[in-house]
């Protein structure tokens, strides 16, 4: 970068909106990418980042319409060139790498043929040259057996390999600009690393400019020289990567860095456990065991985090406690009393004392009920409240979760994602539970909303003394909310202890790996003292 | 289509993989089709059993002597267990013997069902093939045009007309054609009562209106399905990725989308045979065309069970057979099954 | 590959002028059917003059093949056809809906048995099956309703089963179970409001299909027993007029098409989704 500061592509005052409801998806975007410059574009889902990336390639998806603004590739307006010319431009000068490679390949064509198709169609290369170029690119990208790989079909290779073949396809014609749309998001941690390395090597070698789209701020700092932060269709911050890392200016950028919720202060030593699990073993139907011999203790007023990757059995553990999945062996005690394994054998009082918060509030709230209906059911079932008393209590609950009382008669389907999660929390609180099981409640929310919910949970716990079982894969959330934690792996609790101890000095190999994977990017660039 | 594309560049590198999944799945479909047909034959046979009242008496009339009734009961085999009669009936059917028609009984001793059905079967197949030959390419083309212009003015126009046609009963279309083309304009004959001696030219002439009616009734259905399936296909991410790498839409459709749609297209074809069969029955009635649809309706009115059984079994076999064929096409063109890991 | 990422433009949920027109037409049919005995100039089976009399001030649409007033027959026929189709649709929904719910909630064996049974019935084109059953049971209003209703129930079964399975797997149902709601309340207060819209669209589609099937069978002479009038058989009985250049017999046929069109246009979007679900492989 640097030396040649010629503008390659520029986007001026681009406004794109949804045709169906006129809502702006991109709201006045100005962006300039110089030759050879790698720009990161960071934003949460729904921020419009994919729309922006596609617009850079002259593409607007059906259902969207461009209101004004243009995109110029060295002066040529991509929205006004004839279709045939645009096709030729895309082949020769633009490249695109999609998020999910498996869905971006024609399932019925061999990979090599798809890689070289555009070059052959537009006569950029002869068949033999193209084949050789593709094969050697495969090799450079570290793909196994590059000669043979091209003869396979998309479903015959792994996701990480397919993603790299897509990289090869995008760079075969030595484009001037490549748009990467979350190329590593759909991959697992170790594959992510391989693909990311391939991207870096490729960019360095080819000298192409790039727009790298992601939701992961720490990841993009490893690739991009400049970073744009996109929030609700606007670029709220556009600065060199260094600046974004050390001196983020916009509050949204700071929120994206996550841990703003801070570290939880220490609490008084617990008394006897409120909820205790001993040697729980379970599985679905006649299938194999999902949990093997899991035990845990949760005390009043404390938060226990259950941490693990997807498939580790952490959600299953929550469902066992809630009574949704009876254990095959082991026992559960609530206040020293045995807790029946099946929901239908539990008394209404037991059901009241244990509340379950689903991962997606979207699914957990009946979309055709209004807010009052949603809050009044637990009030009627657990506290026999109705009429004015119920309404008053419902308003109190809304206040407790920072929701305005005037949404009381709005339908759940019309609330925003953050409001839904708060409402789901209010519904759980309506029961006045002793134990609140939170199943990945923050994973569907963006960073800002997530921090809001974490702070809210802390505050509510202080007020009500509810014990929280916080199931998550997100270690920064654990720091912010939990007193103790257990780490799950393949259905077993591989480590348990106080958060401070486990995070500082992990004992098991698996915990160390988990910490390394989550902290790889962020700890390196983490501004001190935050 | 799909297979050809792949075959072209197989080179010498085709891996001699395990072809078992494909064979296994197709065998599964064959078994399922066979079982369906068997189940349908049981249902069809059971129809005879379920007839209320004494059938022999109802055929001969109230004045029949007990001997005559007993004779007919014996003739029909009504005095033996149902399971045995089913097996006898089925083995007869497999040898082309569908039994004896009830309608002529008593007067001339009854005609064999096969004798009644066979000549008409040819007529019906001719009509259906003619209609499908017109309808399918036309409907497919219109569906493709609509799907490529999804949401646009052309798409909306095509879709609205199709929606209107779906709502028209077959006989309305038939009589409208008769009214306008045969009666008002006097261009074509209004009836299609062809016989075995009708010369081919005149036969075809007489078949134009019935074939047009039948085509019009199925075009709308096929078109709407084609449009829905193809626009779903066009919305796949890989169709977008193709355009983003510089393949023009028309080429992407021809090279990529259509080969991938072959299974779907086969299924649409087979599915619409159901509409075609309904159309055949009504169209033959409107134009007094001597096919098995007409025969079946007459047999239902006169409750001539063996004829109804034969016709139903033929229709069922055609329908199940074509659906099986479509399934096999879909399986054989699925790259995941064709080239297992 | 159950979830395939797709780029689908969202469509506005506004009511179009076409839908307003369609709804108006439907109301006219309902009104005409309800008021038939009041507004019909003559009785349903009353012979009032010559056979095939032309249009006149006395008999606006002339008379039919037996000398009955065509307009009166048309109104009664509309009424009869509509009642038949509505009854059949209700039956089909009752049976198909209940069976679908049962399949979705009654365990795997129940589901397999019911689904396979429906598969076999659907292995035959509906009209052929209907013809067979009518041979067995004879023709008449009752038989028509039963046969078409039960055959059509197989389609309702599939929709109801899919909807019930989808909704039962939703977290809000689980949340309701967790707070101890009764099964009845979960069905009525939780699930029903969320499946109302697709079920209504399906009802429209089934009605349209049933109405056309009834008309077709009547046309084939397998509908109501004479002298009761219905739209389909009026076409058949008077068809000879067409060959003489008189289009009066096309009026009942046109009325059939118009109502089916109105229903189709009213539920256009849904119809399309349903048809889009037939894929290869």
């Amino acid at each position: 970068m640097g030396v040649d500061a010629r503008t390659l592509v520029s986007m001026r005052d681009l406004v794109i909106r949804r045709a169906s409801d006129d809502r702006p998806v991109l709201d006045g975007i100005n962006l300039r990418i110089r030759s050879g410059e790698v720009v990161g574009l960071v934003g949460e889902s729904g921020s419009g980042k994919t729309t922006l990336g596609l617009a850079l390639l002259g593409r607007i998806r059906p259902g969207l319409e461009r209101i004004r603004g243009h995109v110029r590739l060295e002066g040529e307006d991509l929205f006004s060139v004839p279709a045939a010319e645009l096709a030729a431009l895309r082949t020769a000068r633009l490249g695109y790498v999609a998020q999910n490679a498996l869905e971006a390949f024609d399932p019925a064509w061999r990979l090599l043929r798809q890689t070289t198709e555009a070059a052959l169609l537009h006569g950029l290369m002869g068949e033999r040259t193209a084949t050789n170029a593709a094969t050697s690119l495969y090799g450079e990208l570290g793909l196994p057996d590059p000669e043979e790989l091209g003869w396979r079909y998309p479903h015959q290779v792994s996701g990480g390999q397919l993603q790299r073949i897509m990289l090869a396809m995008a760079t075969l014609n030595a484009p001037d600009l490549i748009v990467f749309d979350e190329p590593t998001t759909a991959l697992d941690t170790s594959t992510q690393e391989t693909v990311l390395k391939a991207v870096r090597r490729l960019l360095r070698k080819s000298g192409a400019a790039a727009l790298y789209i992601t939701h992961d701020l720490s990841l993009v700092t490893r690739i991009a020289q400049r970073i744009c932060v996109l929030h609700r269709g606007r670029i709220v911050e556009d600065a060199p990567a260094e600046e974004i890392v050390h001196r983020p200016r916009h509050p949204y950028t700071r929120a994206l860095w996550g841990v703003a919720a801070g570290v939880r202060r220490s609490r008084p030593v617990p008394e006897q456990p409120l909820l205790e699990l001993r040697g729980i073993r379970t599985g679905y139907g006649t299938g194999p065991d999902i949990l093997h011999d899991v035990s845990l203790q949760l005390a009043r007023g404390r938060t226990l985090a259950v941490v693990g990757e997807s498939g580790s059995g952490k959600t299953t553990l929550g469902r066992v406690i809630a009574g949704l999945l009876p254990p095959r062996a082991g026992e559960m005690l609530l206040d020293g009393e045995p807790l029946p394994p099946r929901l239908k054998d539990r008394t209404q009082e037991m059901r009241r004392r244990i509340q379950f918060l689903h991962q997606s509030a979207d699914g957990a709230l009946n979309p055709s009920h209004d807010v009052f209906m949603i809050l009044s059911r637990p009030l009627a079932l657990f506290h026999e409240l109705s009429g004015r008393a119920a309404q008053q209590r419902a308003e109190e609950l809304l206040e407790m979760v920072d929701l305005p009382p005037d949404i009381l008669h709005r339908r759940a389907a019309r609330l925003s994602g953050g409001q839904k999660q708060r409402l789901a929390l209010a519904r759980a609180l309506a029961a006045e539970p002793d134990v609140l099981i939170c199943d990945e409640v923050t994973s569907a929310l963006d960073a800002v909303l997530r921090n809001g919910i974490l702070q809210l949970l802390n505050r509510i716990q202080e007020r009500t003394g509810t014990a929280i079982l916080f199931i998550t894969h997100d270690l920064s959330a654990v720091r912010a909310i939990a007193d103790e934690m257990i780490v799950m792996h393949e259905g077993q609790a591989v480590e348990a202890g106080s958060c401070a101890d486990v995070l500082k000095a992990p004992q098991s190999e698996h915990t160390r790996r988990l910490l390394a994977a989550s902290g790889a990017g962020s700890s390196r660039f983490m501004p001190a003292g935050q | 289509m799909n297979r050809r594309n792949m075959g072209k560049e197989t080179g010498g590198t085709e891996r001699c993989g395990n072809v078992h999944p494909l064979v296994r799945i197709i065998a599964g479909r064959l078994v399922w089709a066979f079982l369906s047909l068997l189940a349908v034959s049981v249902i069809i046979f059971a129809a005879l059993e379920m007839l209320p009242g004494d059938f022999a008496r109802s055929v001969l009339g109230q004045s029949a002597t007990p001997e005559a009734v007993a004779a007919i009961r014996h003739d029909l085999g009504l005095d033996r267990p149902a399971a045995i009669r089913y097996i006898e009936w089925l083995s007869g059917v497999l040898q082309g013997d569908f039994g004896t028609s009830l309608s002529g009984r008593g007067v001339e001793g009854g005609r064999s069902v096969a004798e009644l059905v066979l000549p008409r079967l040819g007529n019906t197949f001719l009509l259906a093939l003619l209609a499908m030959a017109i309808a399918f390419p036309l409907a497919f083309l219109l569906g493709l045009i609509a799907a490529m212009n999804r949401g646009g003015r052309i798409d909306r126009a095509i879709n609205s007309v199709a929606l209107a046609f779906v709502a028209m009963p077959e006989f309305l279309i038939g009589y409208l054609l008769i009214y306008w083309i045969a009666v008002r304009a006097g261009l074509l004959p209004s009836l299609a009562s062809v016989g075995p001696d009708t010369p081919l030219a005149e036969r075809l002439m007489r078949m134009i209106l019935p074939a047009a009616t039948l085509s019009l009734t199925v075009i709308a259905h096929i078109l709407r399905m084609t449009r829905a399936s193809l626009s779903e296909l066009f919305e796949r991410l890989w169709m977008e990725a193709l355009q983003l790498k510089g393949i023009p839409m028309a080429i992407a459709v021809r090279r990529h989308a259509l080969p991938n749609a072959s299974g779907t297209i086969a299924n649409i074809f087979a599915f619409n045979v159901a509409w075609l069969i309904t159309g055949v029955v009504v169209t033959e009635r409107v134009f007094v065309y001597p096919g098995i649809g007409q025969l079946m309706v007459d047999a239902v009115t006169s409750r001539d069970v063996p004829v109804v059984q034969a016709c139903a079994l033929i229709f069922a076999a055609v329908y199940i057979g074509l659906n099986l064929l479509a399934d096999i096409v879909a399986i054989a063109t699925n790259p995941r099954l064709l080239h297992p890991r | 590959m159950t979830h395939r990422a797709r780029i689908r433009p969202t469509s506005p949920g506004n009511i179009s002028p076409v839908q307003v027109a369609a709804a108006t037409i439907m109301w006219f049919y309902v009104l005409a059917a309800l008021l038939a005995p009041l507004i019909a100039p003559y009785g349903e089976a009353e012979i009032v003059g010559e056979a095939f009399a032309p249009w006149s001030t006395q008999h606006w649409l002339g008379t039919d093949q037996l000398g009955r007033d065509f307009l009166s027959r048309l109104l009664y026929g509309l009424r009869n056809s509509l009642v038949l189709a509505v009854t059949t649709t209700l039956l089909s929904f009752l049976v198909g809906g209940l069976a679908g719910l049962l399949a979705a909630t009654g365990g795997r064996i129940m589901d397999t048995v019911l689904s396979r049974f429906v598969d076999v019935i659907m292995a035959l084109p509906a009209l052929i099956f209907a013809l067979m059953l009518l041979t067995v049971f004879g023709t008449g209003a009752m038989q028509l309703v039963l046969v078409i209703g039960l055959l059509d129930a197989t389609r309702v079964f599939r929709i109801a089963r899919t909807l019930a399975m989808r909704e039962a797997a939703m977290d809000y149902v689980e949340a309701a179970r967790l707070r101890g709601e009764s099964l009845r309340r979960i069905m009525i207060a939780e699930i029903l409001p969320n499946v109302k819209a697709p079920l209504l669209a399906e009802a429209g589609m089934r009605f349209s299909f049933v109405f056309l099937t009834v008309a077709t069978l009547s046309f084939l002479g397998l509908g109501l027993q004479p002298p009761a009038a219905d739209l389909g058989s009026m076409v058949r009985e008077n068809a000879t007029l067409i060959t003489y250049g008189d289009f009066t017999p096309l009026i009942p046929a046109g009325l059939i098409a118009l109502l089916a069109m109105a229903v189709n246009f009213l539920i256009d979007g849904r119809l399309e989704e349903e048809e889009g679900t037939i894929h290869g492989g």
Side-chain angles (χ1 to χ4, degrees):
Chain A
M1 67 147 182
V3 193
D4 184 5
R6 195 165 52 98
T7 298
L8 177 70
V9 60
S10 68
M11 199 175 258
R12 281 273 291 284
D13 191 28
L14 185 66
V15 177
I16 290 179
R17 68 179 182 193
R18 259 211 307 255
S20 57
D21 55 4
D22 290 348
R23 261 184 48 192
V25 177
L26 292 181
D27 197 3
I29 299 288
N30 289 298
L31 180 69
R32 213 154 59 103
I33 300 177
R34 297 178 190 83
S35 296
E37 188 185 24
V38 179
V39 176
L41 181 71
V42 185
E44 302 289 343
S45 63
S47 61
K49 55 189 193 302
T50 293
T51 307
L52 197 160
L54 291 176
L56 215 47
L57 302 169
R59 158 94 176 156
I60 290 172
R61 281 187 173 164
L64 299 178
E65 54 189 8
R66 181 174 61 107
I67 302 305
R68 60 166 187 271
H70 45 241
V71 174
R72 290 216 159 94
L73 180 69
E74 287 185 339
E76 196 154 13
D77 187 346
L78 292 186
F79 292 127
S80 59
V81 296
E85 215 170 297
L86 181 62
L89 264 179
R90 280 172 176 166
T91 301
R93 308 197 54 190
L94 301 169
Y96 172 67
V97 179
Q99 172 172 359
N100 192 341
L102 187 61
E103 280 166 2
F105 280 98
D106 177 348
W109 272 37
R110 294 176 195 278
L111 292 164
L112 180 66
R113 200 164 160 224
Q114 301 201 47
T115 311
T116 59
E117 183 187 11
L120 297 179
L121 185 77
H122 291 283
L124 297 180
M125 300 180 196
E127 178 139 17
R128 177 163 314 185
T129 328
T131 304
N132 288 341
T135 312
S136 69
L137 256 177
Y138 291 165
E140 278 173 45
L141 288 167
L143 287 163
D145 203 356
E147 297 283 332
E148 186 266 353
L149 196 71
W151 293 99
R152 297 207 202 164
Y153 288 89
H155 67 275
Q156 291 174 323
V157 303
S158 74
Q161 290 173 349
L162 212 51
Q163 201 72 50
R164 278 178 281 167
I165 293 170
M166 189 143 204
L167 288 181
M169 190 156 84
T171 48
L172 183 73
N173 305 318
D176 299 319
L177 173 75
I178 307 173
V179 173
F180 296 90
D181 189 0
E182 303 234 27
T184 63
T185 307
L187 306 171
D188 62 60
T189 323
S190 63
T191 321
Q192 249 177 27
E193 202 56 35
T194 323
V195 172
L196 200 63
K197 279 196 185 117
V199 172
R200 285 166 85 170
R201 190 161 354 111
L202 214 64
L203 284 175
R204 207 175 306 132
K205 191 193 130 221
S206 72
L211 183 78
Y212 194 99
I213 300 172
T214 178
H215 68 278
D216 186 345
L217 187 51
S218 63
L219 183 142
V220 79
T221 54
R222 301 168 59 194
I223 283 222
Q225 294 131 17
R226 211 177 88 218
I227 292 172
C228 297
V229 179
L230 191 67
H231 182 48
R232 294 193 186 158
R234 288 165 192 259
I235 291 182
V236 295
E237 189 155 4
D238 177 352
E242 289 286 298
E243 293 271 318
I244 296 273
V245 170
H246 295 292
R247 289 174 295 281
R249 269 198 302 272
H250 197 275
Y252 183 74
T253 317
R254 284 203 284 270
L256 273 180
W257 276 119
V259 287
V263 179
R264 193 178 157 94
R265 59 185 172 72
S266 63
R267 302 276 168 121
V269 193
E271 352 109 43
Q272 90 193 72
L274 173 66
L275 176 74
E276 189 172 4
L277 266 60
R278 290 182 190 153
I280 295 293
R281 186 170 67 78
T282 193
Y284 290 96
T286 52
D289 285 352
I290 307 266
L291 293 179
H292 319 270
D293 190 26
V294 175
S295 303
L296 62 81
Q297 292 189 344
L298 176 61
R300 216 175 281 277
R302 307 282 288 187
T303 299
L304 171 67
V306 179
V307 185
E309 294 178 315
S310 61
S312 61
K314 58 186 193 302
T315 291
T316 307
L317 185 62
R319 297 178 67 80
V320 168
I321 301 170
L324 292 167
L325 181 69
R328 290 174 178 163
E331 55 179 342
M332 294 186 273
L333 302 171
L334 184 64
D335 256 344
E337 301 284 319
L339 187 64
R342 284 169 204 282
L343 189 65
K344 66 173 165 61
D345 299 328
R346 294 185 185 174
T347 64
Q348 196 64 4
E349 176 65 6
M350 289 171 182
R351 291 185 194 136
R352 180 190 69 75
R353 294 181 65 183
I354 300 177
Q355 288 291 308
F356 189 91
L357 215 49
H358 286 90
Q359 166 168 8
S360 148
D362 219 6
L365 300 173
N366 194 327
S368 48
H369 287 177
D370 70 4
V371 172
F372 178 65
M373 175 83 163
I374 285 166
L375 290 177
S376 67
R377 283 312 295 167
L379 291 177
L381 286 163
F382 295 129
H383 303 293
E384 282 157 18
L385 286 183
S386 63
R388 278 218 58 77
Q391 171 143 4
Q392 208 173 349
R393 180 69 185 136
E395 279 166 10
E396 282 171 30
L397 287 164
L398 287 180
E399 199 198 319
M400 224 161 143
V401 296
D402 299 334
L403 283 175
D406 62 344
I407 65 163
L408 206 55
H409 295 290
R410 200 175 300 171
R411 284 201 310 155
R414 304 189 63 95
L415 301 177
S416 73
Q419 286 178 322
K420 281 179 188 163
Q421 195 55 277
R422 281 165 196 268
L423 178 59
L425 178 59
R427 177 174 66 184
L429 294 175
E432 294 167 29
D434 292 340
V435 179
L436 181 60
I437 303 168
C438 299
D439 183 12
E440 295 263 23
V441 287
T442 54
S443 64
L445 302 176
D446 73 29
V448 178
L449 294 176
R450 188 191 62 158
N451 288 342
I453 290 282
L454 290 177
Q455 281 166 2
L456 186 60
L457 281 172
N458 273 336
R459 223 169 61 216
I460 281 164
Q461 187 172 54
E462 254 163 57
R463 225 163 107 177
T464 61
T466 304
I468 297 176
L469 188 84
F470 194 84
I471 298 167
T472 187
H473 67 274
D474 174 6
L475 284 166
S476 65
V478 173
R479 281 191 194 95
I481 197 168
D483 302 293
E484 285 93 25
M485 65 188 282
I486 63 174
V487 178
M488 300 282 299
H489 181 55
E490 289 176 356
Q492 273 166 333
V494 291
E495 183 147 8
S498 86
C499 270
D501 294 347
V502 174
L503 291 174
K504 209 173 294 167
Q507 298 300 306
S508 89
E509 179 56 32
H510 180 75
T511 313
R512 274 197 287 275
R513 269 218 309 280
L514 214 60
L515 280 170
S518 85
S522 52
S523 60
R524 188 184 318 166
F525 290 99
M526 190 61 58
Q530 286 227 352
Chain B
M1 197 170 190
N2 211 359
R3 299 190 80 154
R4 194 153 16 106
N5 274 343
M6 290 163 185
K8 230 186 276 176
E9 32 132 23
T10 332
T13 44
E14 178 69 281
R15 298 175 315 147
C16 293
N18 195 349
V19 287
H20 283 309
L22 202 62
V23 174
R24 205 187 58 231
I25 294 170
I26 290 181
R29 293 296 151 102
L30 277 170
V31 169
W32 173 243
F34 176 74
L35 287 178
S36 300
L37 203 52
L38 206 64
V40 167
S41 78
V42 170
I43 294 174
I44 290 173
F45 177 79
L48 188 68
E49 294 297 304
M50 284 159 74
L51 267 181
D54 192 326
F55 194 74
R57 186 168 292 279
S58 80
V59 166
L60 290 177
Q62 288 305 315
S63 56
T65 58
E67 289 77 27
V69 171
I72 247 191
R73 284 181 62 88
H74 183 75
D75 231 26
L76 286 171
L78 288 174
D79 49 355
R80 280 171 305 134
I84 292 176
R85 278 183 290 125
Y86 169 70
I87 291 167
E88 283 175 2
W89 174 73
L90 195 64
S91 61
V93 164
L94 290 176
Q95 292 159 27
D97 174 16
F98 288 90
T100 311
S101 164
L102 298 181
S103 58
R105 186 176 294 276
V107 186
E108 44 181 320
R111 293 171 67 188
S112 108
V113 174
E115 203 179 306
L116 275 171
V117 167
L118 280 179
R120 286 159 180 262
L121 194 60
N123 287 344
T124 296
F125 275 142
L126 191 61
L127 178 62
L129 281 177
L130 203 59
M132 233 21 188
I134 302 170
F136 203 75
L138 206 60
F140 181 74
L141 204 66
L142 287 171
L144 178 65
I145 291 173
M148 284 185 73
N149 295 292
R150 175 102 195 210
R153 207 174 297 164
I154 300 173
D155 173 38
R156 276 196 304 244
I158 290 179
N159 191 39
S160 297
V161 174
L163 205 53
F165 264 92
V166 166
M168 286 196 202
E170 292 84 354
F171 53 85
L172 174 60
I173 297 175
Y175 282 130
L176 276 177
L177 288 181
I178 290 182
Y179 181 73
W180 277 324
I181 294 174
V183 179
R184 298 245 98 162
L187 291 177
L188 289 165
S190 64
L191 293 184
S193 44
V194 295
D197 312 323
T198 317
L200 187 68
E202 198 193 329
R203 181 185 287 256
L204 284 177
M205 182 84 155
R206 285 179 178 273
M207 278 176 67
I208 293 178
L209 281 188
T213 304
L214 201 48
S215 309
L216 282 175
T217 62
V218 287
I219 280 179
H221 290 285
I222 301 178
L223 183 161
R224 283 176 59 77
M225 274 192 193
T226 309
R227 170 179 175 270
S229 306
L230 286 185
S231 35
E232 191 257 0
L233 195 69
F234 293 167
E235 283 168 15
R236 299 266 169 87
L237 279 174
W238 53 259
M239 281 298 287
E240 179 178 61
L242 281 170
Q243 290 175 64
L244 289 176
K245 76 177 184 189
I247 310 294
M249 182 65 177
I251 295 180
V253 167
R254 187 157 44 82
R255 279 193 190 173
H256 296 271
L258 293 186
N260 270 288
S262 48
T264 315
I265 294 168
N267 267 316
I268 292 176
F269 178 84
F271 187 86
N272 281 288
V273 169
W275 292 114
L276 191 71
I277 289 175
T278 309
V280 159
V281 172
V282 179
T283 308
E284 289 182 357
R285 184 78 171 186
V286 170
F287 291 93
V288 200
Y289 182 79
I292 55 169
Q294 167 89 293
L295 179 69
M296 185 172 182
V297 175
D298 286 340
V300 172
T301 318
S302 63
R303 305 181 92 175
D304 188 346
V305 174
V307 174
V308 174
Q309 280 175 334
C311 294
L313 203 59
I314 288 169
F315 282 128
V318 168
Y319 186 56
I320 292 173
L322 284 176
N323 273 288
L324 173 69
L325 208 63
D327 268 354
I328 292 177
V329 169
I331 293 164
T333 54
N334 183 338
R336 281 166 191 278
L337 300 174
L338 209 54
H339 310 276
R341 271 172 185 271
Chain C
M1 291 288 286
T2 45
H3 291 280
R4 213 181 258 288
R6 287 166 51 180
I7 319 148
R8 176 180 279 284
T10 45
S11 66
N14 306 338
I15 297 169
S16 67
V18 177
Q19 284 174 315
V20 174
T24 315
I25 290 173
M26 283 167 63
W27 278 112
F28 265 107
Y29 274 83
V30 172
L31 226 66
L34 284 177
L35 301 179
L38 295 178
I39 54 177
Y42 302 93
E44 184 175 3
E46 195 182 340
I47 294 176
V48 292
E50 297 274 295
F52 293 139
W55 294 14
S56 65
T57 44
Q58 252 181 334
H59 304 292
W60 289 2
L61 296 178
T63 58
D64 74 355
Q65 88 282 11
L66 294 179
R68 296 170 294 194
D69 182 56
F70 202 88
L71 177 63
S72 306
R73 299 270 301 163
L74 202 61
L75 286 165
Y76 278 105
L78 192 81
R79 179 187 168 93
N80 291 341
S81 298
L82 218 54
V83 167
L84 272 184
V86 169
T87 319
T88 310
T89 310
L90 285 179
L91 177 73
S92 128
F93 252 71
L94 197 71
V95 175
L98 279 179
L101 268 183
L102 208 63
T105 56
R108 197 183 301 169
I109 295 174
M110 179 77 86
D111 185 29
T112 311
V113 169
L114 284 171
S115 296
R116 285 289 164 249
F117 181 68
V118 165
D119 282 348
V120 168
I121 292 185
M122 288 177 93
L124 259 184
L127 184 76
I128 299 305
F129 221 124
L131 288 179
M132 246 173 56
L133 291 179
L134 288 175
T135 318
V136 177
F137 298 114
T139 52
M142 260 277 280
Q143 287 91 329
L144 210 56
V145 168
L146 278 177
V147 166
I148 302 178
L150 292 179
L151 284 178
D152 206 51
T154 54
R155 269 79 178 169
V156 180
F157 167 85
R158 288 211 169 157
I159 296 280
R161 175 175 170 274
T162 313
L163 281 178
M165 280 190 161
R166 192 188 72 196
E167 291 303 315
M170 296 291 285
D171 282 345
Y172 71 80
V173 174
E174 191 168 275
R177 274 172 56 215
L178 279 168
R179 64 173 180 263
E181 302 274 18
S182 69
L183 189 65
R184 214 180 108 242
R185 200 186 153 88
I186 290 180
M187 290 262 188
I188 293 172
E190 299 282 338
I191 294 182
L192 195 62
N194 291 314
V195 297
K196 224 163 42 189
L199 277 186
L200 267 177
E202 178 65 12
M205 230 174 71
R206 296 309 357 139
F207 172 80
S208 173
F209 181 79
V210 161
F211 187 65
L212 286 173
T213 310
V214 169
T216 300
L217 286 172
S218 308
F219 170 77
L220 294 174
L222 305 169
L224 294 183
Q225 291 298 315
D230 67 56
L231 296 177
S233 49
M234 284 182 74
V235 179
R236 173 176 42 90
E237 289 161 359
N238 299 286
T240 29
L241 281 181
I242 296 169
T243 43
Y244 296 108
D246 183 347
F247 66 86
T248 313
L250 290 177
I251 296 175
L255 284 179
I256 296 167
L258 187 64
L259 180 58
M261 264 180 228
V263 176
N264 283 1
F265 276 102
L266 202 61
I267 54 166
D268 181 22
R270 287 288 164 187
L271 208 67
E272 198 175 306
E273 256 170 53
E274 157 86 356
E275 288 181 357
T277 52
I278 299 145
H279 302 299

